[in-house]
């Protein structure tokens, strides 16, 4: 899970970068924790599921940062398996 506040600040910064490049950011990390409790595994799993459903609708998946969390690894693997264009920053 890591530092929730720091992760949210980074997600805000990365989303701003997306907008400045002319893209529409889809950032579940900033949305779902507002009403799902990440400390409850069932709600964390639900948030991951929702994020993957949204990601499946995207034409590209952008990965930011040097550290790949377990959740990010699941998303990256899913995107690769579905043939998504991957970009790393």
């Amino acid at each position: 899970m890591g530092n929730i506040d720091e992760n949210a600040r980074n997600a805000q910064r990365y989303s701003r970068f997306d907008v400045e490049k002319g893209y529409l950011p889809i950032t579940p990390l900033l949305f779902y924790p507002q009403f799902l409790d990440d400390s409850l595994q069932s709600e964390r799993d639900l948030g991951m599921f929702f994020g993957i459903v949204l990601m499946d609708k995207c034409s590209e998946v952008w990965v930011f940062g040097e550290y790949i969390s377990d959740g990010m690894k699941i998303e990256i693997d899913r995107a690769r398996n579905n043939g998504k264009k991957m970009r790393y920053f």
Side-chain angles (χ1 to χ4, degrees):
M1 285 185 248
N3 183 319
I4 294 169
D5 292 333
E6 182 180 352
N7 291 345
R9 282 191 302 276
N10 286 336
Q12 290 170 336
R13 191 165 41 96
Y14 302 147
S15 295
R16 178 66 189 197
F17 174 86
D18 296 349
V19 169
E20 289 173 355
K21 296 296 181 187
Y23 290 87
L24 170 67
I26 306 295
T27 319
L29 175 66
L30 296 176
F31 181 59
Y32 294 124
Q34 293 184 50
F35 56 87
L36 294 175
D37 186 346
D38 201 49
S39 69
L40 297 175
Q41 190 62 49
S42 62
E43 293 195 14
R44 180 173 174 72
D45 291 346
L46 190 57
M48 283 292 300
F49 171 74
F50 290 162
I52 286 172
V53 169
L54 287 173
M55 184 182 66
D56 285 348
K57 306 296 182 194
C58 297
S59 60
E60 296 182 5
V61 174
W62 291 14
V63 181
F64 291 90
E66 296 176 11
Y67 174 74
I68 304 297
S69 69
D70 291 340
M72 288 171 66
K73 181 159 180 14
I74 290 168
E75 294 167 340
I76 290 167
D77 290 346
R78 171 76 178 230
R80 280 192 184 132
N81 289 338
N82 287 337
K84 298 289 184 186
K85 179 178 179 182
M86 304 291 296
R87 296 181 67 184
Y88 291 84
F89 299 87

